Structure formats: C-alpha cells, structure tokens
Amino acid sequence: MTQEDIFKKLIAHCKEYGFVFPSSEIYDGLAAVYDYGQNGAELKNNIKRYWWEAMTLLNDNVAGIDSAIFMHPTTWKASGHVDAFNDPLIDNRDSKKRYRADVLIEELLAKFDEKIEKEVEKAAKRFGSAFDEKLFRETNPRILENREKRGILHARFAKALNDSNLNELKQIIVDYEVVCPISGTKNWTDVRQFNLMFATEIGSTADGAMKIYLRPETAQGIFVNFLNVQKTSRMKVPFGIAQIGKAFRNEIVARQFIFRMREFEQMEMQFFVRPGEEMKWFEHWKQFRLKWHKALGLGDHKYRFHDHDKLAHYANAATDIEFEMPFGFKEVEGIHSRTDFDLSSHEKYSGKNIKYFDPELNESYVPYVIETSIGVDRTFLSIMAASYDEQQLEGGDSRVVLHLPAVLAPVKAAVLPLIKKDGLPEKAREVMNLLKFDFKTVYDEKDSIGKRYRRQDAVGTPFCITIDHETLENESVTIRFRDTMQQERVKIADLYKIIEKEVSMKNLLKKLI
Ligand code: GAP
C-alpha cells in the first residue's frame, strides 16, 4: 500500500470513529475547515494539556494567558501582517488551478531528495550487509550529481525568496518545466502576492464600522499584554508568556486534511530575554521542544530540525521541527528568534512605553523574544499518522489499531460485561463508577466481546476491562492491553494503579526534566 493510500484510510478512519469531520458536512463542507468529534476533541484536549503543563508547570518563569481573537486593527499594521503576511501565488491558465509558487519549487527540491534516497535504497538491497551507506552517499556519481543540482536550485530559490523576487520565482518554475498536475501544461501566469488575513467589521455601519482582522497568530495577544503580565506577576526577564488559541488564515492551497486549515489552533510561547542573550535561549528552547515531541514515543527518527531558507520579517534565526507525515517531512512547530521587532513596533505604533526595567542592570530596554509556536492540529495529525496500524492476526483475522500514547488516548478504559445478564451489567457499572473520576471511561455491552475489543482498538483505548461471572465471586476482572492484546486477571482494587501507571501525565512530564 502506498503512503497516499494509507493517508486516505487515515482520513476515513478519523471520520468513521468520531475524530474529525468535514465542517458543515450536510452542506457539502467548507474547504479546509474541520470539526473535531467526540474522540477527536478528547485527544486534542489531552495534547493541549500536555503542552500547557509542560510549559507552565515545568517552567516556573512561564505564565499562561488567554487573549481575545479580535484585536485593535493597528496591531496588525505594527506586526507587519498587513503589509507582509503574503503568499506568492501562481495560476495555471488551462486548469484554472491556483498554487503557491514556493510550494511548487519545494516539491522540485523534494524530488532530488527522493532520487538520492532511491539510489541508497537500491544499493542497500544490492550489497546487503556489506553496504557502507556513508561511503556510498559520499562517492556515488548519481548521488553527487543530484546533490549538486539540488544545491544550485536551492541557492536560487533562497535568494529569490529573500529578495522577494516574484519574477525569479516564476522563472524557476519555467526553467525547471514544472507542469500543472491537473492540466498537464506549463501555461503559468505571473507570480502575485496574496494577503492571508481574514477581515471583518466591528460595530454597526451607522456608527462607522471599523475593519478588523481575525488573528493570523496568537502571538500578538501576548506581545500587547507583555507589560500587563510582567507587572501583575512581578516576573523578571527572562520569563515567558504562553497561550493556546484559534488562529485564522485564508490559505490558498488548502490540502492534506488538517495539515493546512483556514481555522486552526496554535500553542505559542514568547520568551522575553535580555538583548544579546537570544541565541542561548534559542538553543535552549529548541532542545526543550524537541524533547517534548520525542517523549511521546512516536519514534525519534520521525523528527528533524529544518532551518528556514527565508527568515520572516521579524526573525534573526528560525528553525522548524518537522515530523515525517505520510506525505513527507513537514513542519509541526516553528522556533523563532524574533528580536525586539514586535515590542518595538508596538511601542512605535501605540506611542506607549513598553520597555522593561531590569533591576539587576539598572537599565530599561525592549526585551528580545524567542518564540515557540506549535499547531495543535498538525500535532494531532502527526500522532494519528504514527499511531494508525492495520494488523494481520493469527487465524486470518485482522484489526485496525491506534497505538496512541496512552496518556493522550481519548478513552483510557472500556468496561465490558461479558454478557447482558446475571448481574454483570450492574457490576460493570459499579467498576466504571470507581474509575470514572480519574479516567475517561466508557461502557459497552453491545455485540460479541471480540467486536467490542476491535471497536476500542480502533479508537486507541489502552485498556479493556471485562466483567464475567468470576468477578461476582472474587472481585477480579480481566484487563486486556491494546497493543499486545494480552489479558490478565487482576483485582478490581488494583485497577486504578495499573491504569494510572500508563496514562499518568506526571510520568510523561517527568521525561522532560
Ligand atoms: N507566531 C508564529 C507563527 O504563527 P507559523 O510558522 O506561521 O508561525 C506556527 O505557525 C505553527 O502553526 C506551524 O508550525 C503549524 O503547526 C501551525 N500552522 C500554521 N498555519 C497553519 C494552517 N494553515 N493549518 C494548520 N496549522 C497551521
């Protein structure tokens, strides 16, 4: 099965099992907007809790806030979003399809990478255990040729982006004979800039309504509250402000399910530091954030850093944490050194003093900022993609199982009476009532026990607890483990301890320190 097929199956699975639905589906949906169902909402809340606690509990110099989506419109002038929050667009005249010019060129770069990896794969098969991959990568003529070609393209692309040279972006597309996947032609328009912010109006038209924007990032709500939080919390630089919230972008090319949405959720933290100390903190947060991802146990090899070719208008260093999605390595989180750009700019546009008085240095300055910015939805997708598994079992049976990190699983335990009589349902309810204050628990008595296990596997429930006749005799149950499908007979009194050990947020957080 190709990665594309697996991805399609994952999308279908998300819908069938109440994780993600297309928005307003009864009206045929709204492009790049999605709703989270009963299991999706639980998983999403658990991801957010993990982030919030990692940032605000483990770092006692990070405080969390919740700022409004609507902000004064000058905010976006000051932040640079009105003038510079653009994507370079190109249309194919025959298919009438619109593309991001930079994404078309990134796909060209990825093709060189694919060619290199294919050479390595072929050689590994040919040479078997005698294969020296490092030497092969350094000496094989086809690899060297592709690497050189990639380097030339990459340098040209990075320069065009940094110079905001739209003609050159078009020229690259022409020179490399990029073809529209729909029409199959090279009939391209010029490249144009397109602003990604959604605008709306506040107030009635009679009063002279004001044009405002749906925030394209949550970060600005933090910047404008910098002094409010600093003064009321009495924190000293270095300190951070974190928040989780919705952001909105009128994405042109909205594909790949919840990877690129028009309404999405961010978890952002701005860490305010002394000018000149930003690179030290940039490194610190890069390492802390990577650890956060890896602690989920989805596979360390699935993550990598990717430094930006083009720095945003506010940054002096930037890297992405990328995750290996079914459609390749893609950005899940950005870590940016934003200098003093935002605070200085807000100071200028608002006319208010936003300086921090440093009591140790006995001087006032505008702090520099390190930002960590992660998408909830992309994290959700990365976890679902890494967890989805179709297994062939002994005896010709098969199952779909989500190996979700137990701490994030929407449901922690399912309580299942073996049959619907003899007092077993009542006993099962009793067990559920014991557990439900600590863990999200479901009760299921419909269908055979085998079918019920499969239903729980498909939503990633780590534990199934079966109540049978022996339970009535000696207060014991069977507990079935999702990944191994092993079953054990245990005392009801021990259930809390067994489940807690696996699903404890505390145990996960301890891996980060
Ligand atoms: N404040 C900085 C900022 O917003 P960004 O790299 O544009 O930086 C940060 O966005 C993160 O937000 C990304 O790494 C990604 O996870 C998420 N994100 C951005 N655009 C998104 C979209 N259209 N759909 C889903 N997630 C998105």
Side-chain angles (χ1 to χ4, degrees), residues 136 140 296 366 478:
F136 185 78
N140 177 271
L296 288 173
V366 176
T478 59

Coordinates of all heavy atoms in Angstrom, one line a residue, residues 136 140 296 366 478:
F136 N 28.9 5.3 0.4 CA 28.1 5.3 -0.9 C 27.5 6.7 -1.1 O 27.6 7.3 -2.2 CB 26.9 4.3 -0.7 CG 26.1 4.2 -2.0 CD1 26.6 3.4 -3.1 CD2 24.9 4.8 -2.1 CE1 25.8 3.3 -4.2 CE2 24.1 4.7 -3.2 CZ 24.6 3.9 -4.3
N140 N 29.0 8.0 -4.7 CA 28.2 7.5 -5.8 C 28.0 8.7 -6.8 O 27.4 9.7 -6.4 CB 26.9 7.0 -5.4 CG 26.0 6.6 -6.6 OD1 25.2 7.3 -7.1 ND2 26.1 5.3 -7.0
L296 N 6.8 11.6 23.5 CA 5.5 10.9 23.1 C 5.7 9.5 22.6 O 4.8 8.7 22.6 CB 4.7 11.7 22.1 CG 4.1 13.0 22.6 CD1 3.5 13.8 21.4 CD2 3.0 12.7 23.6
V366 N 14.0 47.2 25.6 CA 12.9 46.4 25.0 C 13.5 45.0 24.9 O 14.5 44.7 24.2 CB 12.6 46.9 23.6 CG1 11.6 46.0 22.9 CG2 12.0 48.3 23.7
T478 N -10.8 -9.3 34.0 CA -9.7 -9.4 33.1 C -9.4 -8.1 32.5 O -10.3 -7.3 32.2 CB -9.9 -10.4 31.9 OG1 -11.0 -10.0 31.2 CG2 -10.1 -11.8 32.4

